[in-house]
């Protein structure tokens, strides 16, 4: 069920998701592969970089509702327990200060990607 839902969501991105995807996909040139509407465990997240263990979620007004905030906290806790750092960006913030929002996303992705690349090389003397 999750994979077909993710595929369906990829075909109908929201306007904010399409805007962010138009920028994030260019990180491939740096070796950072971001997937949109990615399945992680029981969840479909807006954007994920599995190698850097980063999830980016774009939140609209519905995320102000107490029930949704509780679901978001539960989801974020599950993702964190499974090694992912979650960055939530409000849609309104994306449009008010898109440069600042993209700086946050790119900085986190690049930092985590560098960290993973460094750890993958191993410590000196390992072999």
């Amino acid at each position: 069920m999750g994979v077909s839902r993710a595929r369906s969501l990829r075909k109908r991105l929201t306007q904010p998701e399409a805007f962010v995807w138009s920028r994030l996909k260019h990180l491939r040139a740096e070796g950072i592969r971001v997937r949109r509407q990615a399945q992680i465990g029981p969840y479909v997240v807006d954007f994920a970089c599995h190698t850097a263990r980063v999830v980016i979620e774009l939140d609209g007004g519905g995320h102000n509702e107490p029930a949704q905030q509780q679901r978001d906290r539960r989801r974020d806790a599950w993702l964190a327990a499974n090694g992912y750092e979650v960055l939530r960006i409000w849609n309104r913030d994306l449009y008010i200060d898109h440069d600042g929002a993209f700086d946050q996303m790119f900085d986190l992705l690049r930092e985590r990607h560098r960290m993973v690349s460094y750890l993958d090389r191993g410590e000196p003397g390992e072999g």
Side-chain angles (χ1 to χ4, degrees):
M1 180 173 127
V3 173
S4 62
R5 181 170 178 258
R7 283 187 188 126
S8 172
L9 290 170
R10 272 185 225 119
K11 291 178 184 174
R12 52 186 173 90
L13 294 177
T14 65
Q15 187 175 7
E17 289 168 348
F19 179 53
V20 169
W21 178 241
S22 73
R23 301 276 302 269
L24 289 180
K25 65 184 177 182
H26 296 291
L27 288 172
R28 287 184 186 157
E30 298 176 39
I32 301 171
R33 186 163 189 265
V34 178
R35 294 183 48 96
R36 65 188 192 275
Q37 301 302 327
Q39 178 84 35
I40 301 176
Y43 301 107
V44 176
V45 301
D46 292 338
F47 300 97
C49 178
H50 295 295
T51 55
R53 309 294 282 182
V54 170
V55 166
I56 298 170
E57 291 281 55
L58 302 180
D59 292 342
H63 290 267
N64 276 326
E65 300 297 323
Q68 183 61 49
Q69 289 176 343
Q70 185 176 12
R71 284 190 294 272
D72 288 344
R73 282 191 298 276
R74 194 170 37 247
R75 173 188 180 109
D76 291 355
W78 187 94
L79 289 163
N82 285 276
Y84 284 86
E85 184 167 342
V86 179
L87 174 63
R88 289 189 170 275
I89 304 282
W90 288 98
N91 289 345
R92 69 175 176 269
D93 294 339
L94 180 63
Y95 288 112
I96 291 170
D97 180 17
H98 62 267
D99 288 335
F102 282 115
D103 285 346
Q104 273 187 289
M105 290 181 241
F106 286 16
D107 289 349
L108 177 61
L109 286 161
R110 287 175 175 139
E111 173 68 26
R112 295 280 302 233
H113 183 73
R114 273 193 304 273
M115 185 178 8
V116 168
S117 297
Y118 176 77
L119 293 173
D120 283 348
R121 286 193 303 250
E123 294 294 323
E126 289 185 2

